[in-house]
Amino acid sequence: MSDILVHTEAGVMTLTFNRVERKNSITGAMYDALSVALDQAAGDAAVRTVLIQGDPTVFCAGNDIGDFMAAASAPAQQTLTESPAIRFLRLIAAFPKPVVASVCGPAVGIGTTLLFHCDLVYAGDNAAFSMPFVNLGLVPEAASSMLAPQMFGYHRAAEALLLGEPFMAEAALEVGLVNRVVPPTECNGIAQTQARKLAAKPLSALVETKRLLKLAQLPAVLERIGVEGASFGTAMRSPAAKEAFTAFMEKRKPDFSKV
């Protein structure tokens, strides 16, 4: 699909968010396209590394709010456990080959949390990371409630998840979320170079090394994705989330005083 561009060359499958007019916010169809690409990449011996990138001005503004509102109005018995977003998160969390990310501009919500499942992350010096789930009446996803404290330390993770305020590229470098901060116009190229370096290495050794790196925590990560997904589905139908979504669409500040 045109909102997700897929290109494979020199052993690297590059997945590009291509919805810049909507700040690369992700729809259900885009999650499906990402999942199909990851499925293909996992089974294709010609693909040795995956690179996820956006535009030099914006990586990803998170989930499409219109999709959120539609999901919130769906029957209560329909859960998020098998939603396109959860399927994508499970696939990237368990993806066996190296995943590289290039992040410039805003990286909101899942635009930040998917990075916990990448192996190498390069950021433009204009990158702004945020996990504003609470501000939308929601809860963390992508196992970020587990992985953020492990990486940031508890208090920094609590600040990022409870306040939901943006933190910039240098702060992300300090806590270990990114490997290097570079000029935005160079970021995608640098990430592509690093991805090709990985693709030139023995695939069996790459896959086994990644398996060993994630061996201790992968089962817990997949379990936490499911637990968070259930809580997320409940929160999405809450009065707080409804007020947040409505305020967003009406371009006003939400009023949580009565929820």
Side-chain angles (χ1 to χ4, degrees):
M1 63 179 299
S2 60
D3 289 342
I4 298 291
L5 302 180
V6 182
H7 176 74
T8 302
E9 184 178 347
V12 179
M13 175 182 281
T14 302
L15 306 178
T16 304
F17 294 124
N18 188 44
R19 199 184 183 216
V20 179
E21 74 283 358
R22 294 296 185 91
K23 298 183 179 179
N24 289 337
S25 57
I26 309 178
T27 63
M30 291 168 70
Y31 283 122
D32 285 338
L34 290 167
S35 293
V36 168
L38 288 179
D39 262 338
Q40 177 188 341
D44 186 348
V47 176
R48 305 166 78 86
T49 308
V50 168
L51 169 62
I52 301 175
Q53 64 181 20
D55 185 82
T57 64
V58 59
F59 180 63
C60 174
N63 203 93
D64 184 87
I65 292 293
D67 272 19
F68 265 160
M69 295 183 74
S73 62
Q77 65 268 27
Q78 293 183 9
T79 68
L80 282 184
T81 54
E82 297 302 327
S83 71
I86 294 294
R87 178 170 180 250
F88 164 70
L89 289 174
R90 290 185 180 280
L91 282 169
I92 194 170
F95 190 73
K97 301 174 183 180
V99 180
V100 180
S102 171
V103 184
C104 298
V108 181
I110 197 166
T112 289
T113 61
L114 72 84
L115 303 176
F116 289 114
H117 306 290
C118 296
D119 302 293
L120 301 177
V121 180
Y122 299 92
D125 57 25
N126 64 341
F129 306 86
S130 61
M131 297 180 284
F133 304 111
V134 167
N135 301 343
L136 293 170
L138 301 172
V139 300
E141 32 85 310
S144 56
S145 64
M146 181 179 81
L147 297 174
Q150 288 179 359
M151 181 177 288
F152 298 0
Y154 176 81
H155 290 99
R156 288 188 181 186
E159 184 175 53
L161 287 167
L162 294 177
L163 289 176
E165 295 172 350
F167 54 98
M168 306 307 289
E170 290 297 335
L173 179 65
E174 182 184 353
V175 297
L177 184 62
V178 307
N179 293 85
R180 192 188 310 173
V181 177
V182 300
T185 54
E186 300 176 18
C187 195
N188 285 357
I190 288 170
Q192 182 71 225
T193 296
Q194 298 300 91
R196 291 192 180 198
K197 285 181 184 178
L198 289 170
K201 298 183 184 297
L203 181 58
S204 59
L206 288 173
V207 169
E208 182 62 8
T209 298
K210 179 169 178 174
R211 186 187 75 84
L212 293 169
L213 281 167
K214 292 184 171 266
L215 184 62
Q217 72 174 23
L218 182 57
V221 165
L222 295 174
E223 180 183 8
R224 184 64 62 95
I225 288 172
V227 171
E228 288 174 343
S231 294
F232 201 104
T234 299
M236 209 162 50
R237 296 180 174 87
S238 70
K242 182 178 180 180
E243 167 59 17
F245 299 157
T246 302
F248 180 88
M249 300 302 287
E250 295 177 354
K251 295 180 170 60
R252 62 173 174 83
K253 186 176 180 179
D255 178 8
F256 297 123
S257 62
K258 297 179 181 179
V259 297

